[in-house]
Amino acid sequence: MSAPHVRIGTLAFDLDHATCTVPSYASGSLQLEVGVRATRPKTARRAGLLSEYHRKGLLTFHLGARGVYGPGGVPEGRFEIRNSRAGDIRVQFRTEGDDYRLEFNGEVAFADGRASIHGTFGEPFLVNRPSFEVEIDVPLDLETIDWGGYVFGSLDEIAHAPPDLIQSLTLNAPEFETLPPEILRLGALTSLTIVNHNAYGSALPLRDLTPEIGRLGGLTRLAINGAALDTLPDEIGHLENLEMLTVGMCQLEAVPEAVWRLPRLAHLSLPGNRLAALPEAMDLPALKSLDLSRNQLTTVPASLADLPALDRLALKGNPLEALPEAIRSVSWLDLSIAERQRLLPRPFPGAEAGYPEAAYRLDDRRIAQLDAILDETPDLDPRVRPFLLATARPAIGFRRTESPPDDRLGATRFGGMPDLPANWEYPRFTSGYHDGKETVYEFIAQLDCEALAPLQDYLPRTGVLYVFLSTLHDLYGDKLDYPTIVVRHYDGPPEALASGDRFQFDRDDYFEMVGPAYERMDVTAEPIVSLPPSYPLRQNAYHFRAALPGPEAERDAFIEAYQGVDENVEANEPDHEAGGYGFSQHELPETEVALAVGGDPADWLTLLTVRSRGGMQWGDAGDLYVVIHKADLARGDVSRVEATMYSS
């Protein structure tokens, strides 16, 4: 092999390493990594090429490429890189070790058993800054490339390769109408994907998979999207090794009976077809997920619930008229909240007692606050104010105070230790993860209800509310035999309270804590108006159905007009809140809880929002939400609270 050639501007670099591999199906592509090392790293950093954080002077180019298998297994192909990005979906490109302000523009090429990188490093938006010409040409050790994990991407590529080498084939927008013999001869094929990335909305001409597809007995994955298929051959039933079958956005009106008996099939996806009915009898012992969204189904058979491994069922976008009660047992059912309430209503026990709705309406001072917010919003849609008068909440904002702390027993605060009545035991739980060891709950907050009574009408008027959490990791997981969130209400004489200083816990007493308790935060309370968050409004339209305009097109136009109205509030949000709206990119906390335990989302309340402040950290600087049913709150029952969390 001829020697490598390396040049970067006028700086001296030597080839450090050059590798070319196909590591696994996870990447499915040829992975090129070329590292060059500056002989004088300090000079390269002062010149503005290398990052100051990479002290060893190593500059590395990474390229992942498909569509490069050439005759004899010699890689071939050219890829244009603009601003350190490859426009071709088959290519990924990045650099490591260079100054973060620099972008690479140029070309990466494979030819004649060599790889070359030619172009320029520079700052794209600045003039009179140094740029560096790059010329790198390195030989490839072809004997070390194992193409077994490579994803072939065209009929031309597979024409160059031995049939028994090809295990995975992905074709983008092929023009054939029937599965060609070049594919049917691939006896080692385990994965076949036919998609159309570039012409969304226009069907591929593929109409016939042909009965010969049954010869590909090694297939474990078959995926076809956006084709003109209206039938599947019965011979698909011969593919007994199939674990994943996807036929989406096609024109199927039925699926061969044999598909419903595939012994290893774990994931079946048939979205965007014309299926109007499913067979009553199915024998799919391994099926975990079934996607039937956007078809023509009016119901599904109850026998779906008898499939032993099924835990995910997607039914959105069908003209459903009824669902069997047994379907409720599927743990993850993809239906909108409106469809759930219509087809599988789940009343919340005790909700029939009701609650005083007037307690959740804005009072005069908060209406004045709302108008002040809207006055700061230019070009306000006239429908926004009546919508917010119906949906905005009379919340309480808590802000950290630097003044001398309120040391009254039972005063509102977050973190630290609770002032529990002297005769109360501190709440504890037992977790199997701690080998049965008894563990104390994390103390989150105590609210002085009498002091907060003038600010709202829904919390208890006297006493103290205490909030405890088992551990952050219990918020999303399997059903536990202890409550994740515990709220207790003490409504006795204040003199019965005892200082939390008496609790001498250390970190070993908890399931997981950095210290003996969260940092104590003393707060002041103020009346605030909490607006529905605009970002997830469309996903939570059912929650606001009584206030949103209709029909759907008018509703969508209003939601667009509402976007950003809440930004003025977000800019001045308090540290924590009671009775306000939470935030989510998907379902709001009340909707999430209603989906999990029943009831109407509008009848649930985010009792407390605890943001990542002080020592509290909910995921990636997220929010902890304590949610309660308004009927329970009205009768003073705080035993059935739920908890959820949002984190980006």
Side-chain angles (χ1 to χ4, degrees), residues 55 66 129 175 205 298 309 332 340 417 485 501 568 637:
R55 296 297 180 184
R66 297 186 183 183
R129 294 284 293 173
E175 297 182 356
T298 56
W332 191 90
R340 282 177 179 265
M417 277 291 155
I485 201 82
D501 292 341
N568 292 329
D637 181 1

Side-chain angles (χ1 to χ4, degrees), residues 391-543:
T391 59
R393 292 179 175 171
I396 305 170
F398 300 104
R399 299 186 188 276
R400 180 194 294 266
T401 178
E402 301 301 332
S403 2
D406 184 350
D407 285 327
R408 288 181 305 107
L409 295 180
T412 297
R413 65 171 177 267
F414 291 76
M417 277 291 155
D419 301 326
L420 296 179
N423 61 349
W424 278 23
E425 293 289 336
Y426 192 98
R428 302 169 184 265
F429 67 98
T430 302
S431 167
Y433 290 106
H434 273 193
D435 299 323
K437 174 188 172 183
E438 193 175 53
T439 305
V440 300
Y441 276 84
E442 301 169 6
F443 172 62
I444 303 299
Q446 65 184 29
L447 305 182
D448 182 348
C449 296
E450 185 172 356
L452 299 177
L455 305 182
Q456 44 67 48
D457 295 319
Y458 42 83
L459 295 179
R461 314 319 291 162
T462 56
V464 183
L465 278 176
Y466 303 94
V467 180
F468 301 88
L469 175 71
S470 58
T471 174
L472 168 68
H473 301 293
D474 286 342
L475 291 171
Y476 292 100
D478 297 331
K479 186 77 172 172
L480 304 169
D481 54 6
Y482 56 86
T484 300
I485 201 82
V486 170
V487 176
R488 291 185 176 177
H489 180 218
Y490 171 71
D491 200 17
E495 56 269 22
L497 296 177
S499 170
D501 292 341
R502 72 186 191 274
F503 300 113
Q504 299 295 318
F505 300 135
D506 61 34
R507 60 187 301 174
D508 291 334
D509 291 309
Y510 295 91
F511 183 92
E512 179 184 53
M513 279 284 279
V514 173
Y518 289 118
E519 171 191 334
R520 172 171 166 167
M521 179 189 290
D522 292 281
V523 295
T524 58
E526 63 187 68
I528 64 171
V529 57
S530 179
L531 309 186
S534 61
Y535 185 91
L537 198 60
R538 183 172 280 102
Q539 296 95 310
N540 293 271
Y542 182 82
H543 189 120

Side-chain angles (χ1 to χ4, degrees), residues 133-441:
E133 294 294 325
V134 177
E135 290 184 11
I136 299 175
D137 185 84
V138 295
L140 303 176
D141 186 353
L142 301 179
E143 294 183 0
T144 64
I145 302 176
D146 179 4
W147 294 96
Y150 181 72
V151 177
F152 287 79
S154 69
L155 297 182
D156 287 340
E157 267 196 305
I158 66 175
H160 298 315
D164 59 357
L165 177 66
I166 303 167
Q167 299 178 40
S168 182
L169 175 62
T170 294
L171 300 177
N172 174 33
E175 297 182 356
F176 49 71
E177 294 186 5
T178 186
L179 211 59
E182 296 96 309
I183 296 176
L184 297 171
R185 70 185 178 92
L186 303 178
L189 198 64
T190 61
S191 175
L192 174 60
T193 301
I194 300 173
V195 294
N196 188 359
H197 290 306
N198 300 323
Y200 188 83
S202 61
L204 298 175
L206 178 62
R207 297 180 179 277
D208 182 14
L209 289 185
T210 79
E212 286 75 19
I213 195 172
R215 299 175 186 170
L216 302 177
L219 277 181
T220 61
R221 184 183 188 278
L222 174 61
I224 301 169
N225 280 284
L229 285 172
D230 55 12
T231 60
L232 297 176
D234 292 337
E235 286 74 10
I236 279 191
H238 297 168
L239 305 179
E240 295 191 349
N241 288 308
L242 269 186
E243 298 173 3
M244 179 181 294
L245 174 61
T246 297
V247 184
M249 282 74 78
C250 295
Q251 300 171 26
L252 297 182
E253 295 183 358
V255 175
E257 184 179 338
V259 168
W260 304 102
R261 297 197 302 270
L262 288 169
R264 294 182 175 84
L265 192 63
H267 306 281
L268 177 58
S269 297
L270 302 167
N273 284 286
R274 301 173 181 176
L275 302 177
L278 301 180
E280 289 291 334
M282 302 178 189
D283 185 12
L284 294 167
L287 193 68
K288 297 179 181 179
S289 67
L290 176 59
D291 186 351
L292 298 166
S293 56
R294 304 188 308 284
N295 276 279
Q296 298 299 315
L297 297 168
T298 56
T299 189
V300 296
S303 56
L304 278 178
D306 297 329
L307 297 177
L310 186 68
D311 62 7
R312 297 176 70 89
L313 176 61
L315 294 173
K316 276 184 180 178
N318 284 281
L320 295 167
E321 297 175 359
L323 285 177
E325 181 66 21
I327 295 299
R328 195 191 295 277
S329 66
V330 179
S331 59
W332 191 90
L333 184 60
D334 187 19
L335 277 175
S336 70
I337 182 66
E339 290 172 317
R340 282 177 179 265
Q341 298 290 66
R342 178 172 62 88
L343 300 167
L344 293 171
R346 188 178 183 182
F348 184 73
E352 63 278 0
Y355 54 87
E357 295 187 11
Y360 299 95
R361 299 193 188 116
L362 300 186
D363 52 24
D364 289 342
R365 60 185 161 181
R366 287 188 173 90
I367 291 175
Q369 288 178 329
L370 174 63
D371 286 335
I373 293 168
L374 298 182
D375 286 344
E376 298 178 12
T377 306
D379 303 320
L380 184 69
D381 187 299
R383 296 170 295 179
V384 168
R385 187 175 187 273
F387 169 75
L388 290 176
L389 286 174
T391 59
R393 292 179 175 171
I396 305 170
F398 300 104
R399 299 186 188 276
R400 180 194 294 266
T401 178
E402 301 301 332
S403 2
D406 184 350
D407 285 327
R408 288 181 305 107
L409 295 180
T412 297
R413 65 171 177 267
F414 291 76
M417 277 291 155
D419 301 326
L420 296 179
N423 61 349
W424 278 23
E425 293 289 336
Y426 192 98
R428 302 169 184 265
F429 67 98
T430 302
S431 167
Y433 290 106
H434 273 193
D435 299 323
K437 174 188 172 183
E438 193 175 53
T439 305
V440 300
Y441 276 84

